[in-house]
Amino acid sequence: MKMLKDPEHQVAGHMAKDGRLGPLVDGEGRFFKPFQSNGRGENEAKFYESFSSNKNVPDHIRGYFPVYHGTQVVEASNGSGKLPHIVLDDVVYGYPNPSGMDVKIGSRTWYPGVSQQYFNQCLKNDRETTSVSLGFRHAGFKIFDHQESRFWIVEYKVVHGYKVDDARLVLRKFVSSNSLADSIPDCAFASEVYGSSSGILAQLLELKAWFETQTLYHFSSCSVYMFYENESILMKGGEGARAQVKLVDFTHVLDGNGVVDHNFLGGLSSFIKFIQDILES
Amino acid sequence: MLKVPEHQVAGHIAKDGKPGPLVDDKGRFFKPLQGDSRGEIEVKFYESFSSNTEVPDHIRRYFPVYHGTQAVEGSDGAAMIVLENLLSKYSKPSVMDVKMGSRTWYPEASEEYIQKCLRKDARSTTVSSGFRISGFEVYDHKELSFWKPDRKLLNGIKVDGARLALRKFVSSNTLSDTSSKPDSAFASSVYGGSRGVLTQLLELKTWFENQTFYHFNSCSILIIYENESIHEDGARAQVKLVDFAHVHDGNGVIDHNFLGGLCSFINFVRDILQSSDESTDN
């Protein structure tokens, strides 16, 4: 098996840098996510098992989820020995220079049945961030600055402290070609990345339609991960931005039990409105 | 002449010397201004809403018509909000009050209020289903009388209980007899049809996907339909939004809390409609 290394383009979550425990890639299209502690890894694997064999999920929706390749025990990134990892398709494989953004969807990240401690922590996070007010919050991003020719990354603590205006601003910066230090993003790529028949808005609307009726799963604490290619975006007649939306992070997925995931759906609808506003302005 | 309204299913009633709502014979409903700024907020909402030119007419009809405030005799000169009496055109209405949203608290509320709401929301179907049934009254076509479930019992119901209540609400059979299954006889005339509850809820949903004017915290959807001559004249089902004591500015953000709950409620209604359609086909 090929040598595993840290993914270059990870924007959120635990990172394997500096000897910590984080995901790895094999450089050939596979992504290895270490089992998270306290049973979360098992929960995530269980979700992927269920989802991949669930005949009630339509094909066009399946495309929004990373392809699952089972679990594998491999050498952990922090040198702690062999650990079980979830093996997925590396969604950014084939994207030489992607800008990416991870947005946690839902006005609450807790759910019925959790411990008091977990509930208190989630509620605190939800109220401190934009989750309660907007129905979503930014978890991380990596945006290519076309003027500086390098990626702009913001420290997690800062992103966690974002307010409504910051959220709007960073969604504009995500699709801009001018310097990201500039306070007025030009949104030059908005119509190609967000708009267009296969752009991010179209994909989010397709997901939303499924969420209005699916009662299979409740996706607590899941993120929308959106990304696009920077190299081809500037080239005329090239492949274009190839913007994609993927749902990620399934450590807290529950059975829907006949009820729609109204928490995710509300937050998703709010996020869609933010994107629509940017396209219209 | 003012009198106590007949079909109040939820909300404050006249108790212990405190005023409750009243109705007159001209189709008006008098709601006492609730204490500690809630009354002011509700008035502020109605004032804003009635003059908001950006609210489309087809959405305006889901809200009670506002007739200002008035000091009413016999209630110690206390000011009351004057609204359209939503039941004045009905002779035998079945009514249900559904509090919408997976949370009834909101960021602007006091810490004490937030904690109180969190407890209530967790104990009811609010957290799990995005809405809870505050109360309902339904006409029994066999007994020829109205039936309403015990309030305490209603507060403790879970998801299956909510589904059952929504079925009972459109049934004609003996409702106080808990052993017989609700027949959902009026499901398609109340919930279905081109002007039924489902169609109205879907129209509201479209507005909520875009409107950023108001956040309707703790608001209810009232569902009303006519039992008198229901077979001959149809149910005349209506959906109305009520209770605006906690409405705040949207500030450019959609009311995702209400919208999520509304979508969930729509799914519950649709399920009942589909299963009742299937059973009539058999």
Side-chain angles (χ1 to χ4, degrees):
Chain A
M1 198 187 66
K2 265 233 140 153
M3 255 295 271
L4 301 180
K5 53 186 174 88
D6 347 322
E8 245 187 282
H9 303 291
Q10 195 182 346
V11 303
H14 308 272
M15 299 205 188
K17 286 198 297 256
D18 314 319
R20 284 195 292 236
L21 183 63
L24 299 161
V25 293
D26 67 0
E28 285 181 341
R30 294 283 159 101
F31 184 89
F32 295 76
K33 182 175 178 183
F35 270 33
Q36 287 181 59
S37 56
N38 299 328
R40 286 176 297 167
E42 280 85 352
N43 286 344
E44 189 158 29
K46 215 173 90 183
F47 163 75
Y48 274 116
E49 300 277 337
S50 159
F51 187 80
S52 16
S53 54
N54 193 332
K55 296 187 186 68
N56 292 316
V57 177
D59 286 339
H60 70 283
I61 292 303
R62 202 170 277 292
Y64 293 114
F65 292 77
V67 180
Y68 177 63
H69 298 289
T71 58
Q72 209 174 317
V73 174
V74 295
E75 195 68 46
S77 61
N78 62 353
S80 64
K82 288 195 188 286
L83 285 180
H85 285 63
I86 290 173
V87 187
L88 304 165
D89 263 1
D90 179 2
V91 299
V92 291
Y93 184 66
Y95 283 70
N97 228 20
S99 283
M101 181 176 274
D102 182 310
V103 184
K104 211 180 266 274
I105 305 286
S107 72
R108 65 167 147 90
T109 52
W110 57 273
Y111 46 94
V114 295
S115 70
Q116 188 65 45
Q117 188 195 30
Y118 186 74
F119 167 78
N120 290 335
Q121 187 58 48
C122 284
L123 184 63
K124 179 171 180 280
N125 284 339
D126 296 345
R127 289 175 72 178
E128 273 171 4
T129 62
T130 58
S131 287
V132 165
S133 51
L134 298 185
F136 63 87
R137 67 171 179 253
H138 282 89
F141 50 81
K142 221 177 139 176
I143 308 175
F144 192 71
D145 187 326
H146 288 264
Q147 300 308 312
E148 305 286 321
S149 279
R150 57 179 162 83
F151 281 99
W152 177 57
I153 297 168
V154 173
E155 204 196 2
Y156 177 72
K157 272 203 192 88
V158 177
V159 178
H160 193 82
Y162 270 11
K163 301 292 169 228
V164 179
D165 291 335
D166 304 307
R168 241 188 251 289
L169 186 62
V170 79
L171 284 168
R172 293 193 125 92
K173 290 191 171 185
F174 188 63
V175 291
S176 292
S177 70
N178 59 334
S179 167
L180 298 174
D182 223 309
S183 52
I184 303 175
D186 66 8
C187 297
F189 310 135
S191 47
E192 193 181 345
V193 173
Y194 288 153
S196 92
S197 53
S198 55
I200 288 183
L201 182 61
Q203 297 179 49
L204 293 174
L205 288 169
E206 208 173 46
L207 261 172
K208 172 169 165 281
W210 184 61
F211 271 92
E212 282 169 353
T213 53
Q214 79 84 11
T215 60
L216 306 165
Y217 306 103
H218 280 194
F219 294 92
S220 300
S221 247
C222 285
S223 288
V224 155
Y225 176 52
M226 58 185 193
F227 55 95
Y228 69 90
E229 181 46 50
N230 283 286
E231 273 183 23
S232 38
I233 202 164
L234 295 173
M235 297 175 349
K236 288 218 188 312
E239 278 184 319
R242 293 190 287 138
Q244 276 203 78
V245 164
K246 294 285 179 189
L247 254 63
V248 296
D249 288 337
F250 305 107
T251 51
H252 300 284
V253 178
L254 300 173
D255 242 343
N257 283 323
V259 182
V260 301
D261 190 350
H262 49 87
N263 178 55
F264 191 98
L265 180 54
L268 182 63
S269 299
S270 180
F271 185 60
I272 283 171
K273 182 74 167 86
F274 266 59
I275 305 277
Q276 274 169 339
D277 282 350
I278 291 170
L279 272 171
E280 275 161 31
S281 61
Chain B
M1 249 293 278
L2 295 177
K3 55 183 177 103
V4 174
E6 272 181 73
H7 301 282
Q8 192 85 349
V9 297
H12 308 268
I13 49 166
K15 228 177 15 178
D16 312 321
K18 283 213 194 99
L22 299 163
V23 292
D24 68 7
D25 53 4
K26 293 190 182 67
R28 295 198 175 185
F29 181 86
F30 296 79
K31 183 174 176 177
L33 253 75
Q34 291 175 64
D36 58 37
S37 85
R38 283 175 302 166
E40 279 170 48
I41 291 174
E42 188 153 34
V43 170
K44 202 176 115 193
F45 165 73
Y46 273 116
E47 299 276 331
S48 159
F49 187 79
S50 19
S51 55
N52 188 340
T53 51
E54 289 182 84
V55 175
D57 288 340
H58 71 279
I59 292 303
R60 199 169 280 290
R61 77 167 99 95
Y62 293 115
F63 291 78
V65 179
Y66 175 63
H67 297 292
T69 56
Q70 212 177 301
V72 166
E73 283 202 30
S75 58
D76 303 323
M80 299 186 105
I81 299 176
V82 188
L83 302 166
E84 165 198 358
N85 177 0
L86 299 173
L87 304 180
S88 60
K89 298 198 178 78
Y90 290 83
S91 60
K92 283 197 183 73
S94 287
V95 187
M96 179 180 272
D97 181 308
V98 186
K99 208 180 268 275
M100 215 49 82
S102 72
R103 63 168 149 88
T104 51
W105 59 274
Y106 45 98
E108 300 87 341
S110 72
E111 197 55 44
E112 192 196 322
Y113 185 78
I114 291 176
Q115 292 303 321
K116 192 174 94 169
C117 287
L118 278 165
R119 283 193 294 273
K120 262 196 185 161
D121 294 350
R123 279 201 306 256
S124 62
T125 56
T126 290
V127 165
S128 59
S129 310
F131 64 88
R132 65 173 178 254
I133 297 172
S134 301
F136 69 96
E137 192 177 55
V138 58
Y139 189 70
D140 187 324
H141 288 251
K142 263 210 204 101
E143 302 292 317
L144 302 180
S145 64
F146 285 95
W147 179 83
K148 74 168 28 144
D150 178 63
R151 194 80 180 260
K152 280 214 179 80
L153 244 122
L154 201 59
N155 285 343
I157 62 169
K158 301 290 168 238
V159 179
D160 290 334
R163 251 187 247 286
L164 183 63
L166 285 166
R167 292 201 145 93
K168 278 166 117 87
F169 185 60
V170 293
S171 293
S172 74
N173 57 336
T174 314
L175 299 157
S176 46
D177 174 7
T178 50
S179 60
S180 66
K181 225 177 110 182
D183 61 15
S184 299
F186 306 129
S188 41
S189 18
V190 176
Y191 293 152
S194 57
R195 285 307 308 158
V197 168
L198 185 60
T199 303
Q200 297 180 49
L201 293 174
L202 288 168
E203 207 171 45
L204 261 173
K205 170 176 165 276
T206 305
W207 186 61
F208 270 92
E209 284 168 345
N210 286 286
Q211 78 84 12
T212 60
F213 304 121
Y214 312 104
H215 281 189
F216 294 92
N217 307 303
S218 242
C219 284
S220 285
I221 274 185
L222 213 64
I223 303 177
I224 308 161
Y225 73 88
E226 179 60 71
N227 286 281
E228 181 84 60
S229 313
I230 192 172
H231 299 288
E232 300 85 345
D233 303 333
R236 287 197 290 128
Q238 270 202 90
V239 164
K240 294 284 180 187
L241 256 71
V242 295
D243 291 337
F244 305 106
H246 301 278
V247 174
H248 281 268
D249 250 346
N251 284 322
V253 181
I254 63 164
D255 189 354
H256 51 87
N257 177 54
F258 190 102
L259 178 57
L262 180 61
C263 288
S264 178
F265 186 64
I266 282 171
N267 213 57
F268 271 65
V269 172
R270 196 187 272 128
D271 281 350
I272 289 168
L273 196 54
Q274 273 168 2
S275 61
S276 85
D277 280 348
E278 278 156 22
S279 61
T280 53
D281 283 344
N282 291 339

